[in-house]
Amino acid sequence: MAGIVVVESLTKRFGRVVAVDDLSFSLEAGTITGFLGPNGAGKTTTLRMLLGLARPTHGRALVFGKPYARLRRPPLLVGAVLEATGFHPGRSGRDHLRMLGRSIGIPDARADEVLRLVELDGAAKRLVKGYSLGMRQRLGLASALLGDPELLVLDEPTNGLDPEGVRWLRDFLRATAQGGKTVLISSHGLAEVAQTVNRVLIINHGRLVVESTLEELTSSPDGSVCTRSTQPQRLLHALRAERLEVTEASDGALAVQGATPERIGAIACAAGIPLSELVGQASSLEGAFLRLTSEVAS
Amino acid sequence: MIGLMRAESLKIRSTRTTLGLLAGMTALVVLVVVLTGVFAKSSDLIGTSNQLSLLSYGSFAIVFAGLAGVLLVTSEYRYGTIRPTLLFNPSRARVLIAKLVASFLAGIIFSVVAEGAGLIAGLLILTARGLPLTLSGGDIGLLIGGTIAGTALWAALGVGLGSLIRNQVGALIVLLSWIFVVEPLVFAFVPSVGRWFPGQAVNALTGLASAHLLAPAAAAAVLVLWASSLAVAGNALMARTDVS
Ligand SMILES: Nc1ncnc2c1ncn2[C@@H]1O[C@H](COP(=O)(O)OP(=O)(O)OP(=O)(O)O)[C@@H](O)[C@H]1O
Ligand SMILES: [Mg+2]
């Protein structure tokens, strides 16, 4: 079935800021799609419109052929977690789930079931104010799973998860997709989701930059090399002094065009700048991501 | 819709806030009744209107029920639970209706607890001081019925106010200054206006004797009108505001 999610010319303006700009895409059943973009790209805003929490300035977003608000008992079809937490600190995780479940007639026993599923059953009766960030993420995920939905929409779900938690989530999402379900997962970096997703949508400044499968993205020789240093500014100057084209990510990574990793290493060595990372060519997911998201910016 | 109301009622019960409000309310009512009953001159505790005011301190419940109503909406925005709430139930109007009903029912409980505590304390004090009860069964019936109806409607009114002013602190300030400052001042200086206000309507509803108050039936209608107008306005606002 095509078009579990269909987004058409979706636009959202906040005053003079165009957070989402004429965005169109669709998702098919059984895919895990990474919805990527740097901070402020418009990911959360897009998801809020998709989920009926915010009204588009223009265009529309459909899930299972309808605007979200028109779905009957939406949690049975769509499970969603948005980035910011939505828990009352003085309520237990279990009561949080029960309260949501009861509102649409899901039995209380299902709350305990999903708590076990996300491995939070030990803390079920504790108040949410005593939960760690990762536990809150798991509780959010549990609430999305309550209705055993066909589509999962997760906004930065790996935030706050430890490596073991990230691996757990990855396996969980893969198993979910194997069962024919569809997943849309947002992230600000490709690396976080590269091992999970099979398709990517990259947006920047509210516009779609890339829509492709993960293989296409990583196999296209993008020619850029991703490097990091403990002294990024010095490295940037040294590389630019060699007339190389360098783009800088907010987290300090540099994407360098038109030079091999050997040459970059040599330049850094000559200038006495320590490198902490140097990844070249096809394996450079981060490089591809940086290049793709900075093209529109410049 | 039934499920949504059950969920809202669980929301009210599942944090300690409600319990705290109930405990604080009961303590306050009993304290005021005891202080009045112990220190008042015997001559001030006989006669219908004196006894009625001694036994009507349970109507403090309107303040606490109003607070509970305000909190039922504003804490959703404060803590962001409004997001999952609306993801599960995208119709904001239905969510608001469920909150109105759940808080109305909670208001009944608040008033029964408060009026029960106030009545028992007051009657015990009158008995202990050997003062005869001069109120008729009808007076006491109106007092109890009026407190229950008034408090339940105030809880709904709190929900309406919270949906209009979703900032928790702002809504609480408005509620409290309305009850303790605006209404008493306006009623004292311009009673022809003040008697139409929701707090004075509760006084009228419980049968407090004052030339300036409305008749109980009219007061009930006025209170329903206040609660529903705030809810309708809040609903219109919620329908067109984004949730972030
Ligand atoms: N309620 C709002 N009012 C005004 N501007 C907003 C609002 N919500 C988002 N924006 C703006 O819209 C743009 C997109 O924000 P959005 O939260 O969608 O980004 P994002 O891709 O989710 O970023 P991040 O990775 O940091 O979560 C930003 O410029 C942001 O400042
Ligand atoms: Mg975001």
Side-chain angles (χ1 to χ4, degrees), chain B residues 142-231:
Chain B
L142 185 60
L143 174 65
I144 294 175
T147 306
I148 292 176
T151 309
L153 286 168
W154 261 83
L157 195 141
V159 168
L161 181 67
S163 63
L164 270 177
I165 308 175
R166 277 154 299 168
N167 178 291
Q168 190 162 73
V169 176
L172 292 179
I173 288 175
V174 168
L175 180 79
L176 293 176
S177 49
W178 179 268
I179 297 178
F180 293 112
V181 182
V182 179
E183 272 213 27
L185 281 180
V186 174
F187 189 66
F189 293 106
V190 203
S192 59
V193 173
R195 65 196 191 137
W196 298 96
F197 287 169
Q200 301 311 316
V202 174
N203 286 340
L205 210 52
T206 54
L208 285 193
S210 160
H212 297 300
L213 289 175
L214 298 169
V222 163
L223 206 47
V224 168
L225 205 63
W226 272 101
S228 45
S229 325
L230 286 180

Side-chain angles (χ1 to χ4, degrees), chain A residues 14 44-45 48 53-54 82-86, chain B residues 76-77 79-84 86 92 166 241-244:
Chain A
F14 294 106
T44 302
T45 306
R48 279 168 56 214
L53 295 177
L82 285 168
E83 61 182 348
T85 56
Chain B
E76 293 252 25
Y77 286 89
Y79 298 115
T81 50
I82 189 67
R83 283 186 292 270
L86 290 181
R92 295 168 193 198
R166 277 154 299 168
T241 15
D242 288 350
V243 168
S244 52

Side-chain angles (χ1 to χ4, degrees), chain A residues 12 48 51-55 68-69 74-75 80 84-91 95 99-100 102-104 143 146, chain B residues 3-4 6-7 10-11 13-16 75 79-81 83-90 92 239-244:
Chain A
K12 182 73 178 180
R48 279 168 56 214
L51 298 167
L53 295 177
R55 193 184 289 186
Y68 186 89
T85 56
F87 312 113
H88 192 296
R91 192 176 284 138
D95 278 343
M99 153 207 113
L100 290 173
R102 281 184 194 182
S103 74
I104 60 159
S143 71
L146 264 180
Chain B
L4 197 48
R6 283 179 65 213
L10 179 62
K11 254 176 223 176
R13 285 177 286 128
S14 62
T15 69
R16 283 199 205 131
S75 51
Y79 298 115
T81 50
R83 283 186 292 270
T85 295
L86 290 181
L87 287 177
F88 273 64
N89 305 279
R92 295 168 193 198
R240 57 187 187 77
T241 15
D242 288 350
V243 168
S244 52

Side-chain angles (χ1 to χ4, degrees), chain B residues 23-238:
Chain B
M25 171 188 77
T26 311
L28 183 69
V29 169
V30 171
L31 182 74
V32 174
V33 172
V34 167
L35 287 180
T36 313
V38 168
F39 293 107
K41 294 195 296 265
S42 290
S43 62
D44 287 341
L45 287 178
I46 42 182
T48 318
S49 80
N50 283 337
Q51 292 196 346
L52 199 55
S53 73
L54 176 72
L55 298 180
S56 70
Y57 285 117
S59 62
F60 275 159
I62 66 167
V63 180
F64 292 87
L67 287 174
V70 164
L71 291 175
L72 186 58
V73 183
T74 55
S75 51
E76 293 252 25
Y77 286 89
R78 174 165 174 202
Y79 298 115
T81 50
I82 189 67
R83 283 186 292 270
T85 295
L86 290 181
L87 287 177
F88 273 64
N89 305 279
S91 163
R92 295 168 193 198
R94 283 164 59 100
V95 169
L96 191 61
I97 290 170
K99 285 186 186 299
L100 288 167
V101 173
S103 63
F104 187 90
L105 297 177
I108 292 180
I109 293 172
F110 272 74
S111 61
V112 167
V113 171
E115 191 53 44
L119 261 182
I120 292 170
L123 292 176
L124 281 177
I125 286 169
L126 289 181
T127 315
R129 293 182 58 168
L131 300 167
L133 184 66
T134 50
L135 291 176
S136 71
D139 291 334
I140 294 188
L142 185 60
L143 174 65
I144 294 175
T147 306
I148 292 176
T151 309
L153 286 168
W154 261 83
L157 195 141
V159 168
L161 181 67
S163 63
L164 270 177
I165 308 175
R166 277 154 299 168
N167 178 291
Q168 190 162 73
V169 176
L172 292 179
I173 288 175
V174 168
L175 180 79
L176 293 176
S177 49
W178 179 268
I179 297 178
F180 293 112
V181 182
V182 179
E183 272 213 27
L185 281 180
V186 174
F187 189 66
F189 293 106
V190 203
S192 59
V193 173
R195 65 196 191 137
W196 298 96
F197 287 169
Q200 301 311 316
V202 174
N203 286 340
L205 210 52
T206 54
L208 285 193
S210 160
H212 297 300
L213 289 175
L214 298 169
V222 163
L223 206 47
V224 168
L225 205 63
W226 272 101
S228 45
S229 325
L230 286 180
V232 166
N235 180 49
L237 187 65
M238 274 173 71

